[in-house]
Amino acid sequence: MKIAVAKGDGIGPEIMDSVLHIFQANQVPLEYEFVEMGKWVFDKGYSNGMTPEAQQTIEELSILFKGPMETPKGKGVKSVNVTARKTWNTYANKRAFQTLHGVDTVFSKAGIPIDLTIVRENIEDTYGGIEHMLTHDVALSRRFITRPGSLQVIKYAFEMASKNGARRITCGHKANIMKITDGLFLEVFYEVAKEYPHLKADDVIVDDLCMKLVSRPNEFDVVVLTNLQGDIVSDLCAGLVGGLGFAPSANIGDHICIFEAVHGTAPDIAGKNIANPTALLLSGIAMLRHLGLMENAAVIENALLYTLESGVHTGDFGDRSIPSVNTTQFADAIIANLGKQPAHMARPILPNKPITPTSFKLEKNPLIMSKELENEIIVGVDMFIESAEQPSAVAEKCLLHTGDLFKLVTIANRGTQVWPKGSSFTNLVNQYSCRFESIGDAPVTQTDILELYKRLMTDFKICSSEILNMWGDKKAYSLAQGQ
């Protein structure tokens, strides 16, 4: 079985060599095709951080094992890590966090075991990086949450939780504020939950979730979140078990999967052979299990756990009274302990049942779309205009252009209503959202909106616009604060 391997930047080559050395010592039945990805590939002129040959190899082999990679700063290029996840639709980011004996934390010292898994949506949200300056003072980032995308990751989370014997699955969200985007994610969560009645399914607002994870992490089992919130919460959870040096990551897609450590390239220690390879090793162990190499995964993980219990540690953790070892020595210690059983959390040795990754040849991009259950009608538009005038003056001009089809309902500034009512204590920026709804919620056309747009252009620079839709009797747009 052959997989693609990208060693990465900074400490990447050092820790990847150590992990592959451990795999070789355990006779892991894998072959490696090394591919060119990372900062140095950006520097060669490839704007996505990978060569065409690397992309072709990964798509043919369907498994990528990668080290941490750096995105050049100030060059207008996207993160190679995010690009890889999005290009190959690895929609679920799985990060497992467990108490490791020999890695002291406040929780291990208090005898509170941690065993939780964060499943983060990996494609959508603000990570689309779709941003614009609307005025010289106002920046806009678009946040996409889709029903099909939410369904993919939430379905994966429930399947994984059920397969692993989880007792509870929790949706972390901010639907109390982002009622449409996070509201959609939460709605899909409970739709899927109905298919898994044996699992306790509940939800927690994400800020409350963070507080509870820090105070009572043992109460949680599997947590599924949107992309940005999941990114933050997963790093918080890394802190609960000793830091990013113990945070593995698996990016799961239907056709291609990527296994990598959560941490960065650590350029300050690159080339010194002192980096901790544990996170990448744990990611590699997860990859072995994904490939059906259960015996190899268990033997290597048991050796790692035994090594940690024995007090062997790199400089970033462990008993300071015991001298630290370098990256190579840490890997050699694990190799010397292959076949040994740790006193805590020993993994059962199951036989290998290797799978052969299927190489798909897709002729066109898959379109994922749910069924539209009710008819859609357009009932208005939000016009985002630039103005340094007071709300009343903006309203006076807008009212001149409503025509026979539209009424001006509200004007908001940074999401807070400032007309027809508001407060003089509300600070303003030079960009307003002016909502025009059709009279009596009567359907209007895009041509009607374009005509309104043209009339407003005589008084304002229009930065952006959003159509107001309804499905059935449900308005598919949010209210302004205070409306």
Side-chain angles (χ1 to χ4, degrees), residues 142-162:
R142 289 180 179 264
R143 182 178 196 248
F144 286 98
I145 303 293
T146 70
R147 182 178 296 277
S150 299
L151 181 61
Q152 283 184 319
V153 66
I154 290 169
K155 184 75 173 178
Y156 168 80
F158 272 91
E159 278 291 312
M160 182 271 298
S162 182

Side-chain angles (χ1 to χ4, degrees), residues 6-20 40 67-68 265 270-271 280 327:
K7 291 189 177 184
D9 302 311
I11 61 171
E14 303 162 53
I15 60 176
M16 180 63 76
D17 286 345
S18 292
V19 171
L20 296 183
W40 62 281
T265 59
L280 187 61
T327 309

Side-chain angles (χ1 to χ4, degrees), residues 376-395:
E376 171 193 350
I377 62 171
I378 300 172
V379 293
V381 62
D382 282 340
M383 295 287 190
F384 297 85
I385 61 109
E386 179 176 349
S387 177
E389 297 180 290
Q390 287 292 302
S392 58
V394 173

Side-chain angles (χ1 to χ4, degrees), residues 196-234:
Y196 298 84
H198 57 288
L199 285 174
K200 178 185 177 183
D202 56 16
D203 67 276
V204 181
I205 295 172
V206 68
D207 41 339
D208 185 32
L209 171 66
C210 289
M211 185 271 292
K212 288 176 177 174
L213 282 169
V214 170
S215 58
R216 301 186 298 277
N218 53 310
E219 292 184 0
F220 292 93
D221 198 346
V222 175
V223 184
V224 60
L225 307 101
T226 55
N227 202 336
L228 177 59
Q229 295 168 16
D231 195 3
I232 295 167
V233 169
S234 60

Side-chain angles (χ1 to χ4, degrees), residues 223-407:
V223 184
V224 60
L225 307 101
T226 55
N227 202 336
L228 177 59
Q229 295 168 16
D231 195 3
I232 295 167
V233 169
S234 60
D235 273 23
L236 180 151
C237 291
L240 304 179
V241 297
L244 291 176
F246 306 96
S249 175
N251 302 282
I252 305 298
D254 290 334
H255 305 306
I256 296 172
C257 296
I258 306 168
F259 296 85
E260 61 184 341
V262 174
H263 61 69
T265 59
D268 56 321
I269 61 170
K272 297 181 180 180
N273 196 33
I274 60 174
N276 180 1
T278 303
L280 187 61
L281 179 59
L282 288 170
S283 302
I285 290 168
M287 178 183 69
L288 297 182
R289 289 198 170 95
H290 179 81
L291 295 172
L293 302 177
M294 312 302 284
E295 181 177 350
N296 293 102
V299 169
I300 293 172
E301 188 168 8
N302 282 338
L304 169 64
L305 297 175
Y306 185 94
T307 302
L308 294 172
E309 285 181 354
S310 302
V312 178
H313 66 93
T314 50
D316 58 316
F317 76 99
D319 186 343
R320 299 303 177 187
S321 67
I322 300 175
S324 63
V325 298
N326 63 29
T327 309
T328 302
Q329 292 166 334
F330 189 76
D332 288 341
I334 294 171
I335 291 170
N337 291 327
L338 289 170
K340 296 180 181 178
Q341 293 283 313
H344 305 275
M345 298 165 41
R347 306 306 190 217
I349 307 297
L350 303 175
N352 281 349
K353 295 182 179 179
I355 63 170
T356 302
T358 303
S359 179
F360 291 87
K361 300 293 184 183
L362 301 181
E363 300 299 327
K364 58 183 179 180
N365 294 83
L367 176 65
I368 53 176
M369 184 172 66
S370 65
K371 184 179 180 181
E372 191 172 24
L373 299 178
E374 297 185 84
N375 290 332
E376 171 193 350
I377 62 171
I378 300 172
V379 293
V381 62
D382 282 340
M383 295 287 190
F384 297 85
I385 61 109
E386 179 176 349
S387 177
E389 297 180 290
Q390 287 292 302
S392 58
V394 173
E396 185 177 346
K397 291 181 180 179
C398 286
L399 288 167
L400 296 174
H401 304 296
T402 54
D404 298 329
L405 295 178
F406 296 99
K407 58 185 177 181

Side-chain angles (χ1 to χ4, degrees), residues 142-195:
R142 289 180 179 264
R143 182 178 196 248
F144 286 98
I145 303 293
T146 70
R147 182 178 296 277
S150 299
L151 181 61
Q152 283 184 319
V153 66
I154 290 169
K155 184 75 173 178
Y156 168 80
F158 272 91
E159 278 291 312
M160 182 271 298
S162 182
K163 180 180 178 181
N164 293 345
R167 66 191 188 280
R168 177 187 182 189
I169 182 167
T170 302
C171 179
H173 65 89
K174 198 65 178 172
N176 57 323
I177 302 299
M178 293 176 282
K179 298 180 185 296
I180 293 181
T181 49
D182 270 35
L184 176 59
F185 192 81
L186 184 59
E187 178 184 315
V188 173
F189 175 82
Y190 279 115
E191 288 174 359
V192 175
K194 294 175 184 176
E195 304 173 23

